[in-house]
Amino acid sequence: MQAIEFAWLIPIFPLIAGLIIGLIGSRLKEGGGYVAIAGSAISLIITAFVVAQVLDGSFDAADGVIDGVFEQSRSWLILSDTYSFEVGIYIDQLTALMLVVVSLVSTLVIIYSIAYMGEEGGRKRRYYTEISLFVGVMLGLVLANNYLELFIFWELVGLCSYLLIGFWYHKPSAASAAKKAFIVTRVGDIMFMVGLIILFTTFKTLNFRELFEMEVSGSDLGLLTIGTFMIFGGAIGKSAQFPLHDWLPDAMEGPTTVSALIHAATMVKAGVYLVARSFPLFVQTPDTLMVVAIIGGVTAFMAATMALNNPNIKRVLAYSTISQLGYMMLALGAGGYLFYYMHGAEGYTASMFHLMNHAFFKALLFLCAGSVIHAVNTEDMRLMGGLGKKMKITSFTMLIGALSISGIPPFSGFWSKDEVLATVFEACELNWVFALLYILGIATAFMTAFYMFRLWFMTFAGEEGEASSHAHESPKIMTIPLILLALLAAGSFLVLFVGGGFGSQIFFEEPHALTASEILAVTFTDPLTYLSIAVALCGVGMAYATYYKRTISPEIFVSTKARRTLYNILLNRYGFAVGYNAFAEKVVYGFAIVVDAFDRYVIDGIVNGVAFLLTRAGHYIRKIQTGYVQLYATIIIAAISVIIVLLYLIGGLR
Amino acid sequence: MPLEYFLALAAILFVIGAYGVLTKRNAIVVLMSIELMLNAANINFVAFSSFYNDVKGQIFALFSIAVAAAEVAVGLAILLALSKARDTINLDEINLLRW
């Protein structure tokens, strides 16, 4: 027996933990918090064994491995001899990566929750139930071996995020944020479902391996393009890509730990994972890839601009997540485009590498923000400041996170962001659109460095703010996960150099293995690398000058009317929140009114009209019923006579 | 004598009976007209029976006469009850089946 054959247990343990906490959590210590940790930690341990086997190659010897993919499955819904759905697991390098990210980050977040949610009292049971379910279904999503199974877990992830964002449902803002997250992502989910129906009717299967091995051409290729585009629609909703991004900043109404989980390991990563998982389908359709890249680039840029001036510490981080997810989509789109024209699969690797690094540094940043919020009881950065002296561990770990996301070497964010930008630049040769996207990417890198350090300086440096006076460092159970995550955020790039390198483990179709010295040489001989470093340093420097040295006054950004307008546009998220409401009110409600009128007057009109006609007709026809037996007999005899005469004429009697 | 004579006689009797059933107001006359139609059928039975040397037709004629007697008994009883209840046996005034 090999470890990998027990991989199906990975999502089971958190789900069982969730069940236990849900049933008897109120009688357990910490509302079942330790059970939740245990469930997640057991998953992490099994994951470690499974991943070790994937990495050391003994995986290939296991039963059920075909073409470097481990698959176990059972028939589930048998529709006919040729149509059936199955339930099973599918493990390749991508699954292994996601398993590590999800179970590791979740375990740390749940440990951190023990202190962060410690004062919630009776609500803790609900919190730990939901969070265990969340982790379990996300692991299930990652392991699914077909689109239908993935879709089921996809919806469950949406449900869990709804429950957790609305954790403080007595606050109207939290309740409406939860609703918004659910409804906006549902728009994407419907597209996803349409995509699946197209794939199923075209190719008669939803199994990943069978779909990936399809030979597609002719009209099927057109359907595949629509299908992959629709699937990407699902990813747009889940990963909060433009134009369905607006729910994610609102989702900050949930507890900070939930935000960390949603942003680092679960919900929004599901969208990127979906595109990465479907990559063999996407690379056959350059049109879809172009859309993916453009949506990614635009999202990265737009979200970064909105983070520039937001005063809420968690919302800045939320925009930064959207922006980084845009980077991942951009890398997938550009990388797929390159792959389509036979340029290798670096884009795919870059995206997954960035996904992994982002999971670590974004979890770190959110948990640090949580630690700060825990200490000062506000999310408004204007009331903070000077926390660096009082919260040394938090400020230092957050600095590492900020350096990492800003792309300052040697922190891990630098390596992956550089790979993303390099991929996009390489794609410029093929299509000029990518040149624009590269510029957006570079601009985003600058803004990322700026807003992250704006956040850091406003929170930790300078004079003490109003809310800072009673702040003190968080308890050990919160700082230890911070330190572990800081180590990961700083050092996860080392996987580039371990063994055959990251590229040899996460690849699509062809390994792209470089030795350590080759990686260093490729990275540091490229002038583009220095461009992105310079841009990042500029961003940091500008934040330093503005929010620490105050040589540039932040007020300069709102000094003239035009700038003030721009400032307000950014603060109002380009009017997207208002736009959604206006859309809902004018278009959707208007449409509903039309539909209602159609129902009332046309459908009901037809039904009532038919009934009216029948009653009127009955009114007249009943006059025939005179009640005179002789009349009836006359009619019968006359009719029979006519029938006999007719039969005689047509010869039926002969 | 050819069969057609009997059939013609039966047809004439039947039509007279049918005419009576359809047009007469008096229920007793209607019952009598029904007897005429039944007897027209009986003539057919007996005529075919004799023509084909088959006794079944005559047996059917006997059945039909018995049933007709029973029917008249029931019919007269109904008319008796009706005249007691409504004081009439005019069919134009009896339209209970009406809407």
mmCIF file of all heavy atoms in Angstrom, chain A residues 301 304 308 327 405-406 417 421 439-453 531-543:
data_model
loop_
_atom_site.group_PDB
_atom_site.id
_atom_site.type_symbol
_atom_site.label_atom_id
_atom_site.label_comp_id
_atom_site.label_asym_id
_atom_site.label_seq_id
_atom_site.Cartn_x
_atom_site.Cartn_y
_atom_site.Cartn_z
ATOM 1 N N PHE A 301 -4.404 45.739 -12.855
ATOM 2 C CA PHE A 301 -4.177 47.180 -12.860
ATOM 3 C C PHE A 301 -5.272 47.921 -12.087
ATOM 4 O O PHE A 301 -5.005 48.727 -11.200
ATOM 5 C CB PHE A 301 -4.115 47.684 -14.311
ATOM 6 C CG PHE A 301 -3.862 49.146 -14.427
ATOM 7 C CD1 PHE A 301 -2.576 49.637 -14.267
ATOM 8 C CD2 PHE A 301 -4.892 50.022 -14.682
ATOM 9 C CE1 PHE A 301 -2.335 50.995 -14.364
ATOM 10 C CE2 PHE A 301 -4.657 51.374 -14.779
ATOM 11 C CZ PHE A 301 -3.371 51.866 -14.621
ATOM 12 N N ALA A 304 -5.255 47.414 -8.351
ATOM 13 C CA ALA A 304 -4.130 48.109 -7.713
ATOM 14 C C ALA A 304 -4.437 49.594 -7.564
ATOM 15 O O ALA A 304 -4.136 50.204 -6.527
ATOM 16 C CB ALA A 304 -2.865 47.898 -8.531
ATOM 17 N N LEU A 308 -4.753 52.192 -3.849
ATOM 18 C CA LEU A 308 -3.805 53.277 -3.603
ATOM 19 C C LEU A 308 -4.226 54.190 -2.463
ATOM 20 O O LEU A 308 -3.391 54.673 -1.716
ATOM 21 C CB LEU A 308 -3.630 54.122 -4.874
ATOM 22 C CG LEU A 308 -2.876 53.448 -6.003
ATOM 23 C CD1 LEU A 308 -2.864 54.347 -7.218
ATOM 24 C CD2 LEU A 308 -1.460 53.127 -5.579
ATOM 25 N N TYR A 327 -2.702 38.990 -11.869
ATOM 26 C CA TYR A 327 -1.381 38.560 -12.339
ATOM 27 C C TYR A 327 -1.367 37.087 -12.727
ATOM 28 O O TYR A 327 -0.835 36.698 -13.766
ATOM 29 C CB TYR A 327 -0.347 38.747 -11.214
ATOM 30 C CG TYR A 327 0.497 39.993 -11.337
ATOM 31 C CD1 TYR A 327 0.599 40.880 -10.285
ATOM 32 C CD2 TYR A 327 1.204 40.255 -12.493
ATOM 33 C CE1 TYR A 327 1.371 42.022 -10.373
ATOM 34 C CE2 TYR A 327 1.984 41.388 -12.599
ATOM 35 C CZ TYR A 327 2.058 42.272 -11.535
ATOM 36 O OH TYR A 327 2.820 43.382 -11.642
ATOM 37 N N ILE A 405 5.421 40.761 -1.403
ATOM 38 C CA ILE A 405 4.394 41.065 -2.406
ATOM 39 C C ILE A 405 4.848 42.188 -3.327
ATOM 40 O O ILE A 405 4.491 42.244 -4.502
ATOM 41 C CB ILE A 405 3.038 41.408 -1.742
ATOM 42 C CG1 ILE A 405 1.922 41.429 -2.793
ATOM 43 C CG2 ILE A 405 3.089 42.699 -0.992
ATOM 44 C CD1 ILE A 405 0.564 41.638 -2.204
ATOM 45 N N SER A 406 5.699 43.095 -2.798
ATOM 46 C CA SER A 406 6.164 44.195 -3.634
ATOM 47 C C SER A 406 7.173 43.747 -4.678
ATOM 48 O O SER A 406 7.481 44.490 -5.605
ATOM 49 C CB SER A 406 6.815 45.275 -2.775
ATOM 50 O OG SER A 406 5.940 45.686 -1.780
ATOM 51 N N LYS A 417 6.735 37.023 -9.419
ATOM 52 C CA LYS A 417 6.248 38.178 -10.162
ATOM 53 C C LYS A 417 7.121 38.426 -11.389
ATOM 54 O O LYS A 417 6.632 38.741 -12.478
ATOM 55 C CB LYS A 417 6.251 39.413 -9.262
ATOM 56 C CG LYS A 417 5.558 40.596 -9.882
ATOM 57 C CD LYS A 417 5.501 41.759 -8.945
ATOM 58 C CE LYS A 417 4.409 41.593 -7.922
ATOM 59 N NZ LYS A 417 4.227 42.801 -7.106
ATOM 60 N N LEU A 421 5.934 38.508 -15.286
ATOM 61 C CA LEU A 421 6.195 39.619 -16.210
ATOM 62 C C LEU A 421 7.041 39.161 -17.393
ATOM 63 O O LEU A 421 6.814 39.579 -18.527
ATOM 64 C CB LEU A 421 6.873 40.768 -15.460
ATOM 65 C CG LEU A 421 5.948 41.473 -14.466
ATOM 66 C CD1 LEU A 421 6.728 42.462 -13.617
ATOM 67 C CD2 LEU A 421 4.816 42.176 -15.193
ATOM 68 N N ILE A 439 2.815 46.561 -19.923
ATOM 69 C CA ILE A 439 2.885 47.891 -19.309
ATOM 70 C C ILE A 439 1.953 47.956 -18.100
ATOM 71 O O ILE A 439 2.316 48.459 -17.035
ATOM 72 C CB ILE A 439 2.538 48.980 -20.355
ATOM 73 C CG1 ILE A 439 3.618 49.005 -21.428
ATOM 74 C CG2 ILE A 439 2.397 50.339 -19.690
ATOM 75 C CD1 ILE A 439 3.233 49.774 -22.669
ATOM 76 N N LEU A 440 0.763 47.396 -18.253
ATOM 77 C CA LEU A 440 -0.157 47.350 -17.114
ATOM 78 C C LEU A 440 0.471 46.584 -15.957
ATOM 79 O O LEU A 440 0.360 46.989 -14.791
ATOM 80 C CB LEU A 440 -1.475 46.662 -17.507
ATOM 81 C CG LEU A 440 -2.451 47.431 -18.384
ATOM 82 C CD1 LEU A 440 -3.714 46.609 -18.589
ATOM 83 C CD2 LEU A 440 -2.803 48.767 -17.764
ATOM 84 N N GLY A 441 1.143 45.495 -16.294
ATOM 85 C CA GLY A 441 1.758 44.668 -15.258
ATOM 86 C C GLY A 441 2.837 45.429 -14.508
ATOM 87 O O GLY A 441 2.915 45.381 -13.277
ATOM 88 N N ILE A 442 3.678 46.145 -15.263
ATOM 89 C CA ILE A 442 4.752 46.922 -14.631
ATOM 90 C C ILE A 442 4.155 48.033 -13.765
ATOM 91 O O ILE A 442 4.569 48.255 -12.621
ATOM 92 C CB ILE A 442 5.676 47.526 -15.709
ATOM 93 C CG1 ILE A 442 6.553 46.433 -16.322
ATOM 94 C CG2 ILE A 442 6.528 48.635 -15.157
ATOM 95 C CD1 ILE A 442 7.694 45.988 -15.431
ATOM 96 N N ALA A 443 3.119 48.691 -14.310
ATOM 97 C CA ALA A 443 2.477 49.754 -13.536
ATOM 98 C C ALA A 443 1.883 49.174 -12.259
ATOM 99 O O ALA A 443 1.957 49.773 -11.179
ATOM 100 C CB ALA A 443 1.378 50.418 -14.362
ATOM 101 N N THR A 444 1.315 47.978 -12.393
ATOM 102 C CA THR A 444 0.747 47.330 -11.214
ATOM 103 C C THR A 444 1.829 47.038 -10.191
ATOM 104 O O THR A 444 1.614 47.223 -8.980
ATOM 105 C CB THR A 444 0.052 46.022 -11.629
ATOM 106 O OG1 THR A 444 -0.872 46.319 -12.660
ATOM 107 C CG2 THR A 444 -0.660 45.380 -10.459
ATOM 108 N N ALA A 445 2.980 46.593 -10.668
ATOM 109 C CA ALA A 445 4.079 46.283 -9.749
ATOM 110 C C ALA A 445 4.466 47.538 -8.964
ATOM 111 O O ALA A 445 4.693 47.480 -7.745
ATOM 112 C CB ALA A 445 5.277 45.750 -10.518
ATOM 113 N N PHE A 446 4.529 48.660 -9.660
ATOM 114 C CA PHE A 446 4.853 49.930 -8.990
ATOM 115 C C PHE A 446 3.797 50.248 -7.933
ATOM 116 O O PHE A 446 4.110 50.542 -6.780
ATOM 117 C CB PHE A 446 4.928 51.056 -10.034
ATOM 118 C CG PHE A 446 4.982 52.421 -9.429
ATOM 119 C CD1 PHE A 446 6.158 52.884 -8.839
ATOM 120 C CD2 PHE A 446 3.870 53.240 -9.428
ATOM 121 C CE1 PHE A 446 6.204 54.138 -8.267
ATOM 122 C CE2 PHE A 446 3.908 54.497 -8.857
ATOM 123 C CZ PHE A 446 5.081 54.947 -8.273
ATOM 124 N N MET A 447 2.529 50.151 -8.339
ATOM 125 C CA MET A 447 1.464 50.523 -7.405
ATOM 126 C C MET A 447 1.422 49.565 -6.225
ATOM 127 O O MET A 447 1.167 49.981 -5.090
ATOM 128 C CB MET A 447 0.118 50.519 -8.122
ATOM 129 C CG MET A 447 -0.023 51.673 -9.081
ATOM 130 S SD MET A 447 -1.680 51.784 -9.721
ATOM 131 C CE MET A 447 -1.694 50.466 -10.897
ATOM 132 N N THR A 448 1.694 48.273 -6.493
ATOM 133 C CA THR A 448 1.687 47.292 -5.409
ATOM 134 C C THR A 448 2.697 47.685 -4.350
ATOM 135 O O THR A 448 2.390 47.726 -3.150
ATOM 136 C CB THR A 448 2.028 45.902 -5.954
ATOM 137 O OG1 THR A 448 1.170 45.626 -7.034
ATOM 138 C CG2 THR A 448 1.875 44.843 -4.879
ATOM 139 N N ALA A 449 3.909 48.005 -4.785
ATOM 140 C CA ALA A 449 4.952 48.390 -3.829
ATOM 141 C C ALA A 449 4.518 49.633 -3.072
ATOM 142 O O ALA A 449 4.684 49.733 -1.851
ATOM 143 C CB ALA A 449 6.263 48.646 -4.568
ATOM 144 N N PHE A 450 3.910 50.579 -3.793
ATOM 145 C CA PHE A 450 3.508 51.831 -3.154
ATOM 146 C C PHE A 450 2.439 51.590 -2.094
ATOM 147 O O PHE A 450 2.586 51.988 -0.936
ATOM 148 C CB PHE A 450 2.998 52.825 -4.206
ATOM 149 C CG PHE A 450 2.460 54.081 -3.609
ATOM 150 C CD1 PHE A 450 3.315 55.041 -3.100
ATOM 151 C CD2 PHE A 450 1.100 54.291 -3.519
ATOM 152 C CE1 PHE A 450 2.827 56.204 -2.521
ATOM 153 C CE2 PHE A 450 0.592 55.438 -2.947
ATOM 154 C CZ PHE A 450 1.466 56.395 -2.440
ATOM 155 N N TYR A 451 1.349 50.904 -2.474
ATOM 156 C CA TYR A 451 0.260 50.812 -1.488
ATOM 157 C C TYR A 451 0.609 49.892 -0.337
ATOM 158 O O TYR A 451 0.140 50.093 0.775
ATOM 159 C CB TYR A 451 -1.087 50.486 -2.133
ATOM 160 C CG TYR A 451 -1.259 49.125 -2.793
ATOM 161 C CD1 TYR A 451 -1.270 47.961 -2.047
ATOM 162 C CD2 TYR A 451 -1.475 49.017 -4.167
ATOM 163 C CE1 TYR A 451 -1.453 46.734 -2.645
ATOM 164 C CE2 TYR A 451 -1.657 47.801 -4.766
ATOM 165 C CZ TYR A 451 -1.644 46.648 -3.995
ATOM 166 O OH TYR A 451 -1.829 45.449 -4.589
ATOM 167 N N MET A 452 1.440 48.872 -0.595
ATOM 168 C CA MET A 452 1.815 48.000 0.523
ATOM 169 C C MET A 452 2.639 48.767 1.548
ATOM 170 O O MET A 452 2.474 48.610 2.754
ATOM 171 C CB MET A 452 2.609 46.781 0.041
ATOM 172 C CG MET A 452 1.798 45.698 -0.607
ATOM 173 S SD MET A 452 0.258 45.293 0.214
ATOM 174 C CE MET A 452 0.853 44.797 1.816
ATOM 175 N N PHE A 453 3.561 49.614 1.062
ATOM 176 C CA PHE A 453 4.382 50.352 2.019
ATOM 177 C C PHE A 453 3.639 51.542 2.598
ATOM 178 O O PHE A 453 3.892 51.937 3.734
ATOM 179 C CB PHE A 453 5.735 50.716 1.395
ATOM 180 C CG PHE A 453 6.663 49.553 1.514
ATOM 181 C CD1 PHE A 453 6.686 48.573 0.543
ATOM 182 C CD2 PHE A 453 7.429 49.376 2.646
ATOM 183 C CE1 PHE A 453 7.471 47.456 0.679
ATOM 184 C CE2 PHE A 453 8.217 48.255 2.793
ATOM 185 C CZ PHE A 453 8.255 47.299 1.807
ATOM 186 N N LEU A 531 14.379 46.199 -14.375
ATOM 187 C CA LEU A 531 13.275 47.151 -14.537
ATOM 188 C C LEU A 531 12.222 46.919 -13.461
ATOM 189 O O LEU A 531 11.782 47.860 -12.786
ATOM 190 C CB LEU A 531 12.642 46.989 -15.931
ATOM 191 C CG LEU A 531 11.398 47.856 -16.182
ATOM 192 C CD1 LEU A 531 11.737 49.331 -16.131
ATOM 193 C CD2 LEU A 531 10.745 47.497 -17.507
ATOM 194 N N SER A 532 11.854 45.642 -13.273
ATOM 195 C CA SER A 532 10.788 45.405 -12.286
ATOM 196 C C SER A 532 11.283 45.701 -10.878
ATOM 197 O O SER A 532 10.524 46.205 -10.044
ATOM 198 C CB SER A 532 10.213 43.995 -12.417
ATOM 199 O OG SER A 532 11.200 43.040 -12.218
ATOM 200 N N ILE A 533 12.567 45.419 -10.605
ATOM 201 C CA ILE A 533 13.094 45.760 -9.273
ATOM 202 C C ILE A 533 13.075 47.271 -9.094
ATOM 203 O O ILE A 533 12.638 47.785 -8.051
ATOM 204 C CB ILE A 533 14.541 45.237 -9.094
ATOM 205 C CG1 ILE A 533 14.561 43.716 -9.135
ATOM 206 C CG2 ILE A 533 15.124 45.727 -7.768
ATOM 207 C CD1 ILE A 533 15.949 43.135 -9.137
ATOM 208 N N ALA A 534 13.525 47.974 -10.110
ATOM 209 C CA ALA A 534 13.582 49.434 -10.014
ATOM 210 C C ALA A 534 12.190 50.005 -9.783
ATOM 211 O O ALA A 534 12.001 50.890 -8.940
ATOM 212 C CB ALA A 534 14.178 50.008 -11.303
ATOM 213 N N VAL A 535 11.214 49.477 -10.516
ATOM 214 C CA VAL A 535 9.851 49.958 -10.385
ATOM 215 C C VAL A 535 9.339 49.726 -8.967
ATOM 216 O O VAL A 535 8.733 50.600 -8.342
ATOM 217 C CB VAL A 535 8.977 49.251 -11.436
ATOM 218 C CG1 VAL A 535 7.527 49.256 -11.035
ATOM 219 C CG2 VAL A 535 9.152 49.902 -12.789
ATOM 220 N N ALA A 536 9.643 48.521 -8.441
ATOM 221 C CA ALA A 536 9.192 48.204 -7.088
ATOM 222 C C ALA A 536 9.852 49.139 -6.082
ATOM 223 O O ALA A 536 9.199 49.666 -5.175
ATOM 224 C CB ALA A 536 9.500 46.750 -6.752
ATOM 225 N N LEU A 537 11.161 49.363 -6.253
ATOM 226 C CA LEU A 537 11.880 50.246 -5.326
ATOM 227 C C LEU A 537 11.325 51.667 -5.405
ATOM 228 O O LEU A 537 11.201 52.345 -4.385
ATOM 229 C CB LEU A 537 13.377 50.232 -5.629
ATOM 230 C CG LEU A 537 14.080 48.938 -5.211
ATOM 231 C CD1 LEU A 537 15.516 48.938 -5.690
ATOM 232 C CD2 LEU A 537 14.007 48.729 -3.699
ATOM 233 N N CYS A 538 11.000 52.108 -6.608
ATOM 234 C CA CYS A 538 10.381 53.430 -6.768
ATOM 235 C C CYS A 538 9.110 53.522 -5.949
ATOM 236 O O CYS A 538 8.853 54.510 -5.259
ATOM 237 C CB CYS A 538 10.027 53.692 -8.224
ATOM 238 S SG CYS A 538 11.401 54.264 -9.168
ATOM 239 N N GLY A 539 8.306 52.459 -6.036
ATOM 240 C CA GLY A 539 7.049 52.449 -5.296
ATOM 241 C C GLY A 539 7.306 52.544 -3.805
ATOM 242 O O GLY A 539 6.676 53.342 -3.100
ATOM 243 N N VAL A 540 8.254 51.739 -3.330
ATOM 244 C CA VAL A 540 8.583 51.763 -1.906
ATOM 245 C C VAL A 540 9.091 53.153 -1.526
ATOM 246 O O VAL A 540 8.669 53.732 -0.518
ATOM 247 C CB VAL A 540 9.643 50.695 -1.569
ATOM 248 C CG1 VAL A 540 10.055 50.797 -0.103
ATOM 249 C CG2 VAL A 540 9.111 49.310 -1.871
ATOM 250 N N GLY A 541 9.974 53.693 -2.367
ATOM 251 C CA GLY A 541 10.563 55.005 -2.081
ATOM 252 C C GLY A 541 9.505 56.082 -2.027
ATOM 253 O O GLY A 541 9.512 56.943 -1.139
ATOM 254 N N MET A 542 8.564 56.004 -2.938
ATOM 255 C CA MET A 542 7.535 57.027 -2.960
ATOM 256 C C MET A 542 6.659 56.940 -1.704
ATOM 257 O O MET A 542 6.316 57.961 -1.096
ATOM 258 C CB MET A 542 6.666 56.843 -4.203
ATOM 259 C CG MET A 542 5.783 58.022 -4.452
ATOM 260 S SD MET A 542 5.138 57.939 -6.104
ATOM 261 C CE MET A 542 3.664 58.889 -5.891
ATOM 262 N N ALA A 543 6.352 55.699 -1.303
ATOM 263 C CA ALA A 543 5.576 55.532 -0.077
ATOM 264 C C ALA A 543 6.366 56.056 1.116
ATOM 265 O O ALA A 543 5.815 56.704 2.016
ATOM 266 C CB ALA A 543 5.219 54.051 0.120
#
